[in-house]
Amino acid sequence: MATSAFRALSQKEKRTVGNIVSTSKYVKDVANGALFTEDVENFHLVEIEYDADGVLVAKALTDVTKKAYLVAAPERRYLGENIGEFFVGEGERARILYTTEGLIFDASAYELDGAVTEIKAGQKAHYNVATKKYLIHDGSHADFANASVQLTVKSSEDNLEYTLGQPMVRFVI
């Protein structure tokens, strides 16, 4: 018979990972972060607003045309967790970055558009709110033209970064 504690210790989840690559010139934090109203993966895009009490709250991006921010919460280990287990939980306050032009970051949450067969530097990408992944394409995707955050791929298939076995693509806004 299992217990909740046994399940929590034995069934590891694989979450997405990322890394901020830019110098401090491009890294601009939203002061004091925001309180999350739902679970959100790290290095994903979110939207923020003030609630009825005047508290800044964040949730997963729901529309590619809305102003978006990047979740970049530091991973603090409490029980020796693997970096691939971290996410920002509902009710937590976490670090959020403005999506400034020139910001460079790595993310493992990506997928290729049907027309793209391999990752090449110079390709375009935007955040797909349906799959909650960065969609890499040739720049002609319908949502890309109206996306509030348009990304350029800096990686190639032969020089992907890896964090604990998870391949990461380097993006620049």
Side-chain angles (χ1 to χ4, degrees):
M1 179 177 291
T3 66
S4 296
F6 173 76
R7 187 171 287 157
L9 292 172
S10 64
Q11 296 177 355
K12 303 295 184 190
E13 296 181 64
K14 186 175 180 183
R15 303 289 185 150
T16 57
V17 296
N19 185 37
I20 296 296
V21 182
S22 286
T23 61
S24 59
K25 174 181 176 182
Y26 299 102
V27 179
K28 310 245 185 278
D29 289 65
V30 172
N32 300 319
L35 191 63
F36 280 73
T37 60
E38 62 187 8
D39 291 352
V40 176
E41 297 279 330
N42 214 2
F43 292 94
H44 284 241
L45 296 183
V46 295
E47 54 192 67
I48 60 175
E49 63 186 8
Y50 287 97
D51 68 5
D53 298 325
V55 176
L56 192 61
V57 294
K59 64 180 181 178
L61 188 64
T62 58
D63 183 353
V64 72
T65 62
K66 286 187 173 182
K67 182 155 179 60
Y69 302 83
L70 181 67
V71 179
E75 294 93 358
R76 292 186 180 94
R77 293 183 178 192
Y78 298 104
L79 298 171
E81 301 94 340
N82 185 316
I83 196 168
E85 296 178 54
F86 284 93
F87 64 98
V88 179
E90 179 181 353
E92 293 181 344
R93 184 171 292 278
R95 180 184 189 203
I96 298 176
L97 302 180
Y98 288 98
T99 50
T100 55
E101 188 175 336
L103 179 67
I104 302 171
F105 66 97
D106 297 333
S108 67
Y110 67 88
E111 63 185 353
L112 303 178
D113 183 42
V116 174
T117 57
E118 68 177 292
I119 300 166
K120 296 179 184 173
Q123 290 171 322
K124 301 300 179 187
H126 70 279
Y127 191 75
N128 184 338
V129 296
T131 62
K132 298 195 182 319
K133 293 183 178 183
Y134 298 97
L135 182 62
I136 299 172
H137 49 80
D138 63 2
S140 64
H141 193 279
D143 288 340
F144 181 70
N146 298 323
S148 65
V149 177
Q150 297 179 345
L151 304 165
T152 301
V153 175
K154 301 298 279 182
S155 302
S156 292
E157 199 72 41
D158 58 346
N159 72 345
L160 294 179
E161 299 291 325
Y162 283 83
T163 297
L164 297 172
Q166 292 192 57
M168 295 192 303
V169 172
R170 184 157 290 168
F171 298 105
V172 62
I173 296 176

